[in-house]
Amino acid sequence: LSLYRSRRSPLRYFLHFWTEELPSTLYLARKDIRLSFFFILLAFGIGVLSSSMDPEFPQVMLGESYIRMTEANIDAGDPMAVYKQKGAFSMSLGITANNLYVAFLTFIMGAIFMVGSIAIIIRNGIMIGAFQHFFIARGLFWDSFLTIWIHGTLEVSAIVLAGAAGLTM
């Protein structure tokens, strides 16, 4: 009886993790989280600025075929058609898989003296900035903003946290 009396239930472990351990870990990693967020925000600005100075920059960052497909979607009157190519579940699964891959890569690359994590954070930030400016330049800010940032909020948060973990590592 004395052996099993002090054991926590699985629910208690679950609650303890979310109320104590995770907040404490995030607090201890706050400097790395800020640094990771600073890098992605700076890179986002670089992507927007570069795209505004050179209209061909989004093509360099996103690829010629992707830009052509997006321009065709804009001409067809559905600029966000890329997010409607598959069913909602398939699209959600694809986005999730991509986010997990990028977050894992960002974290793992921290093993290369932080340079790998920072490089991935910067590359993704520049891509996001170039992509957002691509739509701004075509007068589609709100359409793109609302569609992109529905999943982009989670994606960027995952990259920032994975980058902070990579910086910590």
Side-chain angles (χ1 to χ4, degrees), residues 32 106-112 114 117 163-169:
D32 291 324
T106 304
F107 167 68
I108 277 305
M109 293 303 285
I112 307 173
M114 300 187 323
S117 289
L167 295 175
T168 300
M169 187 168 67

Side-chain angles (χ1 to χ4, degrees), residues 8 11-25:
R8 292 184 187 173
L11 178 61
R12 271 202 148 137
Y13 278 121
F14 181 79
L15 290 174
H16 183 262
F17 172 78
W18 287 103
T19 60
E20 299 292 327
E21 287 182 42
L22 184 63
S24 174
T25 301

Side-chain angles (χ1 to χ4, degrees), residues 40-55 57-58 61 122 124-137 141 149:
I40 204 160
L41 196 61
L42 177 69
F44 180 86
I46 290 169
V48 170
L49 183 64
S50 298
S51 294
S52 68
M53 294 175 71
D54 180 8
F57 186 75
M61 288 306 298
I122 289 173
N124 278 278
I126 291 172
M127 285 175 66
I128 295 166
F131 189 64
Q132 188 68 68
H133 187 272
F134 177 81
F135 288 102
I136 291 170
F141 173 73
W149 291 102

Side-chain angles (χ1 to χ4, degrees), residues 1-10 12-13 16:
L1 184 62
S2 64
L3 286 174
Y4 292 106
R5 186 178 308 177
S6 63
R7 292 185 73 184
R8 292 184 187 173
S9 70
R12 271 202 148 137
Y13 278 121
H16 183 262

Side-chain angles (χ1 to χ4, degrees), residues 85-107:
Q85 289 177 349
K86 303 175 187 174
F89 181 75
S90 297
M91 198 67 205
S92 161
L93 196 60
I95 289 171
T96 301
N98 180 61
N99 292 349
L100 287 170
Y101 173 74
V102 171
F104 178 74
L105 197 61
T106 304
F107 167 68

Side-chain angles (χ1 to χ4, degrees), residues 68-90:
R68 274 197 314 255
M69 176 194 61
T70 305
E71 287 175 337
N73 291 340
I74 291 169
D75 292 341
D78 191 4
M80 298 297 132
V82 69
Y83 295 109
K84 300 171 189 171
Q85 289 177 349
K86 303 175 187 174
F89 181 75
S90 297

